[in-house]
Amino acid sequence: MTGPVVEDYVKVIYAHTEWQAEPITSTALAARLGLAASSVTEMVKKLSTQGLVSHEPYGAIELTRDGTALALRMVRRHRLIETWLVQHFAYSWDEVHDEAEILEHALSDRLLDAIDDELGRPARDPHGDPIPSRDGSIVRPDAVLLADAPAGGRVVRISDRNPALLRELESRGVVLDAIVRPGDLGAEALASIWVATA
Amino acid sequence: MTGPVVEDYVKVIYAHTEWQAEPITSTALAARLGLAASSVTEMVKKLSTQGLVSHEPYGAIELTRDGTALALRMVRRHRLIETWLVQHFAYSWDEVHDEAEILEHALSDRLLDAIDDELGRPARDPHGDPIPSRDGSIVRPDAVLLADAPAGGRVVRISDRNPALLRELESRGVVLDAIVRPGDLGAEALASIWVATA
DNA sequence: GCTAATATTTCGGTGTGCCGAAATTCGCGG
DNA sequence: CCGCGAATTTCGGCACACCGAAATATTAGC
């Protein structure tokens, strides 16, 4: 009943609050989806009717329990697929996103679970993002942006927004679990890398 | 530009002439796609405009060169995916179809080729259907329906139309390359199994 | 507290692919 | 070669997800 479009909306709404707090606005949602604001307003109204989202006119957009469950389902799919492409097919870090974006809507639960088993039920994806379990639970490592960690620390996550930056970082040895200090890197990197707290 | 819908139309049109001769009618095409005849008439007109199909009103529907190329591309995808599901994920013979039907529209060429390599570039799928090569060439084994082969022979292909029959046949040892005689089997099986000629 | 800039929604409209009903054309039996 | 049933097309309409422009609500600056 829900279809790829609903899945994408819900996933983006979820993603916005995963590492930062504020709920997403309809303008930001439109920007991330590459759609006109008016389209988003209409669709959000439908999602609200379906009980996936709570939203009063001119207010913020937040996921309901059902919406969060669907979002976690999609996040699980996306991250498992990315992990699988990297580990099994030697995709590089920065190439997996587009393929995963499509496949996450297409694989059956059965195939996805088979892939999960084959990978040994990984807890995080190649970017360090936690992979929700089959029952929808997710454990997010305590972490802060490198920009906010003067002493640096162990890399726990690297945002996948900028593929060029990903390649650059990889070539300099900045990968998951590496130890970095803020002084070693540029401004954009500081805002893309999370390190473990304490 | 072509999208999953066009891909499905073209694939079904192609499939109809793969093992039998006559070009498909719009009624038969509608039946196979599960659509109303009027929908098919309209869509075929669009395919014709796009140069994928040749069709004058009230006439038969045939693929153009471009249409055949697209169909072979989809057939390759479908059959490679089926083969992969069976070999790599232990799907059974009769379970692969629906999953492949969806994935064939979703995998990138890159991923598909990686799977092809991993499988060792197989020449036929689990049903015995030949898999077109990357350049679109296809070699169909010489075969006749078991119903038309009084002496029987080596099984070269088993139609995937009826999953229950597939399971039944498998349990009785009727698989690819088995030797069968018409007397051993029922009417529907005789019309679903091809054996090598001479 | 008012107004100007900005965010959001409303509104009319589009393209795609589908439907059923009605009209048309085909092709077979006589 | 004529008519009748079956196949096919035409037609008006619908659902979905999108758009830009116009209207409206919010918010921030003063």
Side-chain angles (χ1 to χ4, degrees), chain A residues 130-150:
Chain A
I131 299 175
S133 63
R134 289 178 199 190
D135 63 21
S137 62
I138 185 169
V139 185
R140 189 156 51 76
D142 288 325
V144 291
L145 264 184
L146 184 54
D148 302 326

Side-chain angles (χ1 to χ4, degrees), chain B residues 132-154:
Chain B
S133 63
R134 290 177 200 191
D135 64 19
S137 62
I138 186 169
V139 185
R140 188 157 52 76
D142 288 326
V144 290
L145 264 184
L146 183 54
D148 301 327
R154 180 175 59 91

Side-chain angles (χ1 to χ4, degrees), chain A:
Chain A
M1 299 293 119
T2 59
V5 173
V6 171
E7 290 169 359
D8 280 338
Y9 273 81
V10 161
K11 198 186 52 168
V12 170
I13 296 167
Y14 175 86
H16 190 265
T17 47
E18 191 173 19
W19 297 88
Q20 276 149 17
E22 295 299 293
I24 197 169
T25 66
S26 74
T27 303
L29 183 49
R32 280 247 223 146
L33 289 166
L35 300 175
S38 56
S39 309
V40 169
T41 297
E42 284 176 350
M43 193 64 200
V44 165
K45 204 185 302 174
K46 289 176 195 163
L47 297 184
S48 176
T49 302
Q50 289 178 51
L52 295 171
V53 138
S54 72
H55 177 242
E56 3 252 280
Y58 299 98
I61 299 163
E62 280 172 293
L63 293 174
T64 61
R65 197 163 49 75
D66 284 357
T68 304
L70 178 57
L72 283 170
R73 188 179 129 85
M74 297 315 295
V75 166
R76 169 175 163 78
R77 299 183 140 257
H78 186 92
R79 293 181 182 167
L80 267 178
I81 291 165
E82 284 199 352
T83 306
W84 175 65
L85 292 174
V86 167
Q87 294 198 195
H88 194 89
F89 290 103
Y91 273 62
S92 79
W93 229 19
D94 54 298
E95 295 169 324
V96 290
H97 189 81
D98 293 348
E99 182 103 40
E101 204 66 34
I102 294 172
L103 291 181
E104 67 189 3
H105 305 294
L107 271 61
S108 69
D109 285 336
R110 171 178 177 172
L111 182 53
L112 195 84
D113 286 346
I115 288 169
D116 189 25
D117 287 339
E118 189 172 299
L119 293 172
R121 313 231 180 159
R124 65 182 188 181
D125 76 6
H127 306 288
D129 289 315
I131 299 175
S133 63
R134 289 178 199 190
D135 63 21
S137 62
I138 185 169
V139 185
R140 189 156 51 76
D142 288 325
V144 291
L145 264 184
L146 184 54
D148 302 326
R154 181 174 58 90
V155 175
V156 179
R157 176 179 185 253
I158 304 180
S159 163
D160 61 352
R161 290 289 188 72
N162 182 340
L165 179 64
L166 282 183
R167 276 192 297 275
E168 157 78 6
L169 290 173
E170 185 170 34
S171 74
R172 297 179 50 184
V174 180
V175 295
L176 286 185
D177 296 325
I179 306 296
V180 295
R181 277 181 304 163
D184 305 335
L185 297 163
E188 194 180 357
L190 294 183
S192 296
I193 297 173
W194 273 251
V195 293
T197 57

